Every structure is written in structure tokens, then in C-alpha cells.
């Protein structure tokens, strides 16, 4: 993991160079607040607040203008009335806007639209309360898994229900499956294997580079040559606590300016129609491509060893490492 001082020095050097006249913009978003951690951590105020403060301390010097999306049900029922507002206020104090990600991260494929909207409502009370205490309103919504409905009827019912509740959907243009790398990183952490953690983190940054190589020209195809403002999906995880600064530096090196979600959505591309109704959650760039009647080209796959390690248990990972089967 790079030191914060080194990251800041790198960022300053980059901004002083030729990329200072940045044309690209990106809105950074973090899903699954309070944190991707075992349930017991979200029932322990000390653990939960330590995870929160450490993540926010990482973000503080980077000026990412991030937004974040909350699964209120991650906090156990006994602690929720006091702990959840404390966590949410810490994020708001850090200047990060918050939105609803449903209460339980519900999967629409195995539920009705009515159940989905009920779970959306269940995730709102504490979030709305802390926002209103600051004179703000609950505005943003992010679909769990980026699933917007696997049938036209579900899709339309959810869209109508969110509109009735005055939500603005937060799209995603760059989805780099960081959750998969984060799972392998947690397994390596449980093993106490610092070398493997570094290997996973470096693979994550390298993969993000290939993702940008794909999505930048792909997005420009929709707009006739102009790269649209991007919206990046990440998660509140230990992987990003340790490695997001390198992702941030990568974006700076490629000429990006960090903007708020609201600023990104001012790009005219976000008014594009979306007729994509499938069982998978995908980038809005894919949705718009489909709507335009052109074939979707899929982004690069993560490294095979990350996919395999994500599919197995911590013990499987240890065995694979011992056998030397985890590839580069």
C-alpha cells in the first residue's frame, strides 16, 4: 500500500504537468455503506466506527467529490437507531453526499416490484432524517447489483415507483467489479498474507487501467467522438481503503477532473433513453448502446485467478497459493 504522503506527492506532480488542462471528468461513487464487512462488525459500534473513520481518513486528502449509497439494514437492528445515524453523519461531515441503495441490497430477480419498493422505503428513514437535519433532501437512488428489472413489467413498476418517491437514479458508466477483487483481498487479509494482499491490490489497479482503455473510446462512440462524463462504481471496502488512492492517481494521470454526481449528470448523455431489460446489471454505456440498436461490446474480464479465488473459500485460496496455481 502506498503511503498517503507519496500519493499526495504523485497527485501534485501530475496536476503540475501537461494533464493540468483536464478535459475528462468522473464522479466517484461508493456503494454498500456502511461497509463491506462481516455482520458482527456492523453490530459493534467500535468496529463499525473504526472502519468508517479509517475509510474517510483515506478519502479526506484526495478531494474526490464522492457520493455514497447506503444499505441501512447492514447495521443490526439492536444498534441501528443510534449507530447508523452516527455513521451517516460521519460521511456527511466529510462532505460526501448520500443516497439510498435499499435496506437489504434486495435482488429484484427473486422479488416482486412491490417488495423491492418496500425495501427501498425501509432503507430511507434514518438516511432521510440525517439529511433533513442539515436542510437537505434524500434524492439519490442506486439499484443493487445495477439490476433495473428482469422483465418489462418489473422494470416499469420500479421506475415509476422511484419517480413517485422523487428519487434520481444514479447511473454507472464504469463498473470494474471491484467487489470481486475486494472479496479476494478480504480472504488474503484473513490469512494474514500481506504479499498476497499487495498482489491483489496491484492486479486491481492494473485491471482498472484496462477497463478505462475500453470504456473511454466506447463511451465516445455514443456521443459522436466526445468522451462523456463518467460515473465510477466502487464499494466501501478494505480493498478501497488501502488501494483507492492509487485508483485516484490513475484517473489524474489520464487527465480526469473529479466532479460531483450532480455535475456529472449534467452531461447530455444522461438524458439518453434506456430500453435495456435483462437479468444482468451493466454499465449505462451498454444500455445506451443497446438502445441505439448497436451490439454491446463487453469490457475485459478480470484475471482468471481473481475469478477463481472469488468463487472459492479462504481455504481454497490458501491451497491454490500453496500449489502455485494462482496465476499472475
Amino acid at each position: 500500500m502506498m503511503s498517503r504522503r507519496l500519493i499526495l506527492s504523485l497527485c501534485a506532480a501530475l496536476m503540475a504537468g501537461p494533464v493540468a488542462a483536464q478535459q475528462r471528468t468522473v464522479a466517484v461513487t461508493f456503494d454498500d455503506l456502511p461497509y463491506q464487512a462481516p455482520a458482527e462488525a456492523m453490530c459493534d459500534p467500535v468496529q463499525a466506527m473504526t472502519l468508517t473513520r479509517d475509510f474517510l481518513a483515506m478519502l479526506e486528502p484526495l478531494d474526490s467529490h464522492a457520493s455514497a449509497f447506503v444499505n441501512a439494514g447492514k447495521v443490526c437492528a439492536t444498534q441501528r437507531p443510534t449507530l447508523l445515524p452516527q455513521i451517516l453523519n460521519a460521511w456527511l461531515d466529510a462532505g460526501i453526499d448520500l443516497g439510498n441503495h435499499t435496506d437489504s441490497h434486495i435482488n429484484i430477480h427473486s422479488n416482486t416490484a412491490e417488495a423491492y419498493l418496500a425495501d427501498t422505503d425501509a432503507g430511507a428513514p434514518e438516511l432521510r432524517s440525517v439529511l433533513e437535519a442539515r436542510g437537505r433532501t434524500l434524492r439519490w437512488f442506486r439499484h443493487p447489483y445495477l439490476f433495473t428489472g428482469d422483465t418489462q413489467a418489473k422494470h416499469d413498476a420500479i421506475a415509476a415507483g422511484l419517480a413517485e418517491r422523487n428519487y434520481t437514479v444514479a447511473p454507472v458508466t464504469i463498473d470494474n467489479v471491484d467487489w470481486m477483487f475486494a472479496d479476494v483481498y478480504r480472504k488474503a487479509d484473513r490469512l494474514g498474507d500481506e504479499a498476497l494482499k499487495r498482489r491483489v491490490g496491484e492486479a486491481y489497479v492494473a485491471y482498472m487501467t484496462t477497463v478505462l482503455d475500453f470504456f473511454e473510446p466506447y463511451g465516445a462512440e455514443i456521443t459522436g467522438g466526445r468522451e462523456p462524463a463518467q460515473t465510477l462504481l466502487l464499494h466501501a471496502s478494505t480493498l478501497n481503503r488501502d488501494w483507492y488512492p492509487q485508483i485516484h492517481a490513475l484517473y489524474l494521470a489520464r487527465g480526469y477532473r473529479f466532479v460531483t454526481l450532480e455535475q456529472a449528470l449534467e452531461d447530455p448523455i444522461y438524458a439518453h433513453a434506456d430500453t435495456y431489460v435483462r437479468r444482468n446489471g451493466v454499465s449505462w454505456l451498454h444500455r445506451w448502446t443497446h438502445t441505439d440498436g448497436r451490439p454491446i461490446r463487453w469490457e475485459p474480464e478480470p484475471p482468471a485467478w481473481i475469478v477463481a479465488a472469488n468463487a472459492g473459500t479462504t481455504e481454497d485460496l490458501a491451497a491454490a497459493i500453496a500449489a502455485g496455481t494462482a496465476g499472475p
Side-chain angles (χ1 to χ4, degrees):
M1 181 176 59
M2 296 176 69
S3 71
R4 182 167 290 112
R5 180 173 295 179
L6 179 58
I7 290 292
L8 291 174
S9 297
L10 175 60
C11 291
L14 289 168
M15 294 181 73
V19 299
Q22 297 176 18
Q23 299 299 313
R24 293 167 167 166
T25 58
V26 61
V28 178
T29 65
F30 293 99
D31 282 9
D32 293 4
L33 265 63
Y35 207 83
Q36 288 188 336
E40 56 267 23
M42 293 296 101
C43 201
D44 180 339
V46 173
Q47 288 189 64
M49 289 307 301
T50 297
L51 291 170
T52 298
R53 292 189 181 109
D54 287 351
F55 198 91
L56 293 173
M58 173 277 295
L59 282 178
E60 191 274 331
L62 299 180
D63 199 23
S64 292
H65 300 290
S67 300
F69 293 84
V70 181
N71 299 126
K74 279 182 171 287
V75 177
C76 67
T78 57
Q79 296 290 341
R80 180 167 170 168
T82 54
L83 178 56
L84 181 58
Q86 187 179 0
I87 292 170
L88 299 181
N89 275 307
W91 283 83
L92 291 170
D93 288 344
I96 296 168
D97 203 1
L98 299 177
N100 192 346
H101 197 38
T102 75
D103 190 63
S104 68
H105 207 273
I106 190 171
N107 186 335
I108 184 56
H109 297 168
S110 53
N111 289 278
T112 65
E114 292 76 15
Y116 186 95
L117 291 169
D119 200 61
T120 299
D121 291 339
E126 293 92 352
L127 183 53
R128 181 173 287 113
S129 177
V130 297
L131 286 167
E132 289 181 348
R134 297 167 184 254
R136 298 162 64 177
T137 58
L138 174 54
R139 172 184 180 187
W140 302 111
F141 179 82
R142 168 70 54 72
H143 299 85
Y145 311 103
L146 303 186
F147 294 164
T148 58
D150 51 330
T151 68
Q152 193 69 54
K154 283 185 181 180
H155 175 279
D156 293 351
I158 291 169
L162 293 175
E164 289 170 2
R165 290 160 172 77
N166 296 315
Y167 282 113
T168 298
V169 169
V172 171
T173 58
I174 300 178
D175 177 14
N176 69 324
V177 295
D178 73 308
W179 56 268
M180 186 179 294
F181 289 87
D183 172 73
V184 182
Y185 197 79
R186 283 190 294 272
K187 290 171 180 173
D189 194 42
R190 287 196 290 268
L191 292 172
D193 192 329
E194 293 299 320
L196 180 59
K197 287 171 63 177
R198 174 173 290 278
R199 184 180 179 190
V200 175
E202 290 172 348
Y204 171 44
V205 176
Y207 178 65
M208 176 65 85
T209 303
T210 68
V211 167
L212 285 172
D213 288 342
F214 171 82
F215 275 123
E216 287 166 353
Y218 187 65
E221 292 175 14
I222 300 173
T223 60
R226 174 188 63 85
E227 288 186 27
Q230 304 285 9
T231 46
L232 171 64
L233 170 59
L234 299 173
H235 293 81
S237 66
T238 301
L239 170 74
N240 281 315
R241 181 200 67 191
D242 294 347
W243 287 88
Y244 172 73
Q246 287 212 31
I247 301 299
H248 184 96
L250 171 64
Y251 273 78
L252 283 176
R254 296 176 78 104
Y256 281 89
R257 177 170 58 89
F258 293 90
V259 299
T260 65
L261 181 58
E262 183 171 20
Q263 288 171 323
L265 298 195
E266 292 173 357
D267 190 306
I269 190 62
Y270 290 97
H272 196 295
D274 170 18
T275 62
Y276 187 88
V277 178
R278 297 288 189 278
R279 285 187 63 85
N280 56 339
V282 298
S283 163
W284 263 247
L285 295 177
H286 294 322
R287 297 168 187 269
W288 297 327
T289 296
H290 170 81
T291 300
D292 288 344
R294 293 183 287 110
I296 292 173
R297 297 198 314 278
W298 300 106
E299 59 268 35
E301 292 289 333
W305 71 274
I306 290 288
V307 176
N310 167 248
T313 66
T314 301
E315 291 71 23
D316 295 332
L317 177 61
I321 296 164
T325 57

mmCIF file of all heavy atoms in Angstrom, residues 3-4 15 19 29 37 80 133 156 174 177 186 199 208 229 238 253 287 309:
data_model
loop_
_atom_site.group_PDB
_atom_site.id
_atom_site.type_symbol
_atom_site.label_atom_id
_atom_site.label_comp_id
_atom_site.label_asym_id
_atom_site.label_seq_id
_atom_site.Cartn_x
_atom_site.Cartn_y
_atom_site.Cartn_z
ATOM 1 N N SER A 3 2.002 5.059 0.769
ATOM 2 C CA SER A 3 1.748 5.998 1.856
ATOM 3 C C SER A 3 0.926 7.171 1.336
ATOM 4 O O SER A 3 0.976 7.512 0.150
ATOM 5 C CB SER A 3 3.060 6.496 2.440
ATOM 6 O OG SER A 3 3.704 7.359 1.527
ATOM 7 N N ARG A 4 0.193 7.804 2.265
ATOM 8 C CA ARG A 4 -0.632 8.952 1.862
ATOM 9 C C ARG A 4 0.258 10.087 1.358
ATOM 10 O O ARG A 4 -0.075 10.785 0.423
ATOM 11 C CB ARG A 4 -1.501 9.401 3.036
ATOM 12 C CG ARG A 4 -2.422 10.551 2.680
ATOM 13 C CD ARG A 4 -3.491 10.778 3.728
ATOM 14 N NE ARG A 4 -4.453 9.687 3.709
ATOM 15 C CZ ARG A 4 -4.589 8.795 4.686
ATOM 16 N NH1 ARG A 4 -3.830 8.868 5.749
ATOM 17 N NH2 ARG A 4 -5.481 7.833 4.596
ATOM 18 N N MET A 15 -0.724 16.951 -11.454
ATOM 19 C CA MET A 15 -1.528 18.142 -11.729
ATOM 20 C C MET A 15 -0.662 19.302 -12.210
ATOM 21 O O MET A 15 -1.153 20.223 -12.866
ATOM 22 C CB MET A 15 -2.311 18.533 -10.481
ATOM 23 C CG MET A 15 -3.364 17.491 -10.105
ATOM 24 S SD MET A 15 -4.328 17.947 -8.658
ATOM 25 C CE MET A 15 -5.338 19.239 -9.358
ATOM 26 N N VAL A 19 -1.212 17.283 -17.875
ATOM 27 C CA VAL A 19 -2.613 16.915 -17.729
ATOM 28 C C VAL A 19 -3.401 17.940 -16.929
ATOM 29 O O VAL A 19 -4.577 17.743 -16.638
ATOM 30 C CB VAL A 19 -2.749 15.527 -17.053
ATOM 31 C CG1 VAL A 19 -2.085 14.467 -17.884
ATOM 32 C CG2 VAL A 19 -2.195 15.554 -15.632
ATOM 33 N N THR A 29 -18.379 7.120 -6.954
ATOM 34 C CA THR A 29 -19.445 6.704 -6.045
ATOM 35 C C THR A 29 -19.036 5.418 -5.333
ATOM 36 O O THR A 29 -18.407 4.543 -5.925
ATOM 37 C CB THR A 29 -20.780 6.484 -6.785
ATOM 38 O OG1 THR A 29 -20.657 5.381 -7.697
ATOM 39 C CG2 THR A 29 -21.195 7.725 -7.559
ATOM 40 N N ALA A 37 -18.238 -5.627 5.261
ATOM 41 C CA ALA A 37 -17.564 -6.263 6.395
ATOM 42 C C ALA A 37 -18.502 -7.308 6.982
ATOM 43 O O ALA A 37 -19.709 -7.294 6.717
ATOM 44 C CB ALA A 37 -17.202 -5.215 7.447
ATOM 45 N N ARG A 80 -29.045 -0.151 15.302
ATOM 46 C CA ARG A 80 -29.382 0.738 14.190
ATOM 47 C C ARG A 80 -29.852 2.124 14.617
ATOM 48 O O ARG A 80 -29.415 3.125 14.021
ATOM 49 C CB ARG A 80 -30.423 0.052 13.296
ATOM 50 C CG ARG A 80 -30.858 0.859 12.101
ATOM 51 C CD ARG A 80 -31.626 -0.008 11.126
ATOM 52 N NE ARG A 80 -32.274 0.756 10.071
ATOM 53 C CZ ARG A 80 -32.811 0.219 8.982
ATOM 54 N NH1 ARG A 80 -32.771 -1.094 8.806
ATOM 55 N NH2 ARG A 80 -33.389 0.980 8.069
ATOM 56 N N ALA A 133 -31.899 17.027 8.745
ATOM 57 C CA ALA A 133 -31.331 17.791 9.863
ATOM 58 C C ALA A 133 -30.322 18.814 9.364
ATOM 59 O O ALA A 133 -30.016 19.789 10.077
ATOM 60 C CB ALA A 133 -30.683 16.853 10.864
ATOM 61 N N ASP A 156 -40.654 -1.319 -15.399
ATOM 62 C CA ASP A 156 -41.516 -0.142 -15.466
ATOM 63 C C ASP A 156 -42.108 0.200 -14.104
ATOM 64 O O ASP A 156 -42.223 1.380 -13.745
ATOM 65 C CB ASP A 156 -42.626 -0.359 -16.486
ATOM 66 C CG ASP A 156 -42.099 -0.450 -17.917
ATOM 67 O OD1 ASP A 156 -40.900 -0.170 -18.127
ATOM 68 O OD2 ASP A 156 -42.887 -0.813 -18.815
ATOM 69 N N ILE A 174 -18.796 3.291 -15.524
ATOM 70 C CA ILE A 174 -17.608 2.449 -15.352
ATOM 71 C C ILE A 174 -17.813 1.534 -14.160
ATOM 72 O O ILE A 174 -17.811 1.969 -13.004
ATOM 73 C CB ILE A 174 -16.338 3.291 -15.169
ATOM 74 C CG1 ILE A 174 -16.107 4.175 -16.397
ATOM 75 C CG2 ILE A 174 -15.123 2.380 -14.940
ATOM 76 C CD1 ILE A 174 -14.902 5.075 -16.283
ATOM 77 N N VAL A 177 -16.016 -4.295 -11.398
ATOM 78 C CA VAL A 177 -16.145 -5.454 -10.498
ATOM 79 C C VAL A 177 -15.133 -5.399 -9.351
ATOM 80 O O VAL A 177 -14.529 -6.408 -8.988
ATOM 81 C CB VAL A 177 -16.067 -6.805 -11.256
ATOM 82 C CG1 VAL A 177 -17.239 -6.962 -12.189
ATOM 83 C CG2 VAL A 177 -14.769 -7.008 -12.026
ATOM 84 N N ARG A 186 -10.087 -9.604 1.114
ATOM 85 C CA ARG A 186 -10.509 -9.982 2.468
ATOM 86 C C ARG A 186 -10.002 -11.375 2.829
ATOM 87 O O ARG A 186 -9.599 -11.622 3.972
ATOM 88 C CB ARG A 186 -12.033 -9.926 2.592
ATOM 89 C CG ARG A 186 -12.608 -8.522 2.727
ATOM 90 C CD ARG A 186 -14.078 -8.545 3.091
ATOM 91 N NE ARG A 186 -14.896 -9.112 2.039
ATOM 92 C CZ ARG A 186 -15.415 -8.404 1.031
ATOM 93 N NH1 ARG A 186 -15.161 -7.106 0.945
ATOM 94 N NH2 ARG A 186 -16.163 -8.990 0.122
ATOM 95 N N ARG A 199 -0.464 -8.240 -4.026
ATOM 96 C CA ARG A 199 -0.657 -8.795 -5.368
ATOM 97 C C ARG A 199 -2.077 -8.534 -5.862
ATOM 98 O O ARG A 199 -2.284 -8.164 -7.013
ATOM 99 C CB ARG A 199 -0.369 -10.297 -5.324
ATOM 100 C CG ARG A 199 -0.442 -10.993 -6.665
ATOM 101 C CD ARG A 199 -0.145 -12.461 -6.451
ATOM 102 N NE ARG A 199 -0.220 -13.196 -7.707
ATOM 103 C CZ ARG A 199 -0.190 -14.513 -7.776
ATOM 104 N NH1 ARG A 199 -0.098 -15.236 -6.677
ATOM 105 N NH2 ARG A 199 -0.256 -15.119 -8.936
ATOM 106 N N MET A 208 -8.112 -1.937 -13.584
ATOM 107 C CA MET A 208 -8.800 -0.662 -13.801
ATOM 108 C C MET A 208 -8.244 0.056 -15.019
ATOM 109 O O MET A 208 -8.979 0.709 -15.762
ATOM 110 C CB MET A 208 -8.666 0.226 -12.560
ATOM 111 C CG MET A 208 -9.257 1.610 -12.727
ATOM 112 S SD MET A 208 -11.052 1.612 -12.951
ATOM 113 C CE MET A 208 -11.572 1.582 -11.235
ATOM 114 N N ALA A 229 -19.024 12.524 -19.486
ATOM 115 C CA ALA A 229 -18.686 12.486 -18.064
ATOM 116 C C ALA A 229 -18.946 11.075 -17.548
ATOM 117 O O ALA A 229 -19.998 10.503 -17.809
ATOM 118 C CB ALA A 229 -19.535 13.494 -17.301
ATOM 119 N N THR A 238 -12.325 -2.758 2.429
ATOM 120 C CA THR A 238 -10.936 -2.653 2.870
ATOM 121 C C THR A 238 -9.992 -2.546 1.675
ATOM 122 O O THR A 238 -8.962 -1.861 1.739
ATOM 123 C CB THR A 238 -10.576 -3.855 3.754
ATOM 124 O OG1 THR A 238 -11.461 -3.871 4.880
ATOM 125 C CG2 THR A 238 -9.147 -3.770 4.257
ATOM 126 N N ALA A 253 -3.762 10.820 -13.707
ATOM 127 C CA ALA A 253 -2.749 10.645 -14.747
ATOM 128 C C ALA A 253 -3.359 10.588 -16.134
ATOM 129 O O ALA A 253 -2.688 10.907 -17.129
ATOM 130 C CB ALA A 253 -1.942 9.369 -14.476
ATOM 131 N N ARG A 287 -26.225 -0.026 -21.894
ATOM 132 C CA ARG A 287 -27.672 0.186 -22.045
ATOM 133 C C ARG A 287 -27.970 1.136 -23.200
ATOM 134 O O ARG A 287 -28.862 0.893 -24.011
ATOM 135 C CB ARG A 287 -28.250 0.736 -20.733
ATOM 136 C CG ARG A 287 -28.119 -0.218 -19.552
ATOM 137 C CD ARG A 287 -28.440 0.486 -18.230
ATOM 138 N NE ARG A 287 -28.153 -0.384 -17.102
ATOM 139 C CZ ARG A 287 -29.037 -1.218 -16.538
ATOM 140 N NH1 ARG A 287 -30.275 -1.266 -17.006
ATOM 141 N NH2 ARG A 287 -28.696 -1.988 -15.531
ATOM 142 N N ALA A 309 -10.402 -17.324 -7.321
ATOM 143 C CA ALA A 309 -10.264 -17.101 -5.889
ATOM 144 C C ALA A 309 -11.546 -16.544 -5.288
ATOM 145 O O ALA A 309 -11.902 -16.862 -4.150
ATOM 146 C CB ALA A 309 -9.098 -16.153 -5.621
#
